[in-house]
Amino acid sequence: MGQSKNPRRVADNEAMAVSRMLRTSPQKLNLVAQMIRNKPVDKALTDLTFSKKRIAEDVKKTLQSAIANAENNHGLDVDELIVAEAWVGKNLVMKRGRPRARGRFGKILKPFSQVTIKVRQVGAEEEQA
């Protein structure tokens, strides 16, 4: 009589993690996401560690969470993981403003975004190809 089981959103050799409400624009966050796509996770972690972008620290936490999910929840080998997908989405936008000349109002938009990182286990021979 209970609910039916939800199907998995990822394949058997994949794991993912999502970070929401990151205080940066999706355009800036996408620059960091492009930096790690289709790379082995150890190389991606190194790139994020030494990146000068402020948001790279939050993306690194999300990648570490995806790696931990792969290892603990799905039993995947950490040494064979690559960043299969990393995509960015918009979240809410805080609207603020400043008074301007002649009674007008200057809009200030403070966007939030989210990042989803999916890691996939590949064999050593697939990684080199």
Side-chain angles (χ1 to χ4, degrees):
M1 285 303 287
Q3 290 182 332
S4 61
K5 185 177 175 184
N6 289 332
R8 275 189 55 146
R9 293 190 293 166
V10 293
D12 290 336
N13 63 341
E14 293 178 342
M16 78 178 198
V18 179
S19 284
R20 292 184 171 90
M21 300 299 289
L22 297 174
R23 179 59 188 92
T24 187
S25 70
Q27 186 175 6
K28 291 177 183 176
L29 184 58
N30 196 36
L31 292 173
V32 177
Q34 283 177 343
M35 198 167 59
I36 64 170
R37 285 190 187 117
N38 300 317
K39 287 188 179 179
V41 292
D42 54 345
K43 175 85 169 100
L45 283 172
T46 305
D47 289 351
L48 290 172
T49 301
F50 295 107
S51 174
K52 292 185 177 182
K53 304 279 187 186
R54 177 190 60 86
I55 201 65
E57 186 177 331
D58 293 327
V59 176
K60 181 180 174 184
K61 287 180 186 177
T62 308
L63 179 57
Q64 288 171 334
S65 177
I67 294 168
N69 289 342
E71 182 180 14
N72 298 320
N73 299 346
H74 307 301
L76 302 179
D77 185 14
V78 176
D79 296 329
E80 296 181 353
L81 291 177
I82 63 164
V83 180
E85 299 175 31
W87 69 89
V88 174
K90 286 167 58 169
N91 216 315
L92 67 90
V93 176
M94 285 195 309
K95 294 168 181 78
R96 301 290 185 262
R98 290 181 59 88
R100 305 307 293 170
R102 299 172 61 187
R104 297 199 178 157
F105 184 75
K107 270 184 157 180
I108 297 174
L109 302 177
K110 298 186 174 192
F112 285 77
S113 39
Q114 68 184 36
V115 63
T116 306
I117 297 177
K118 191 182 288 188
V119 294
R120 179 180 300 137
Q121 180 178 347
V122 296
E125 65 280 347
E126 294 174 26
E127 206 171 287
Q128 294 172 355

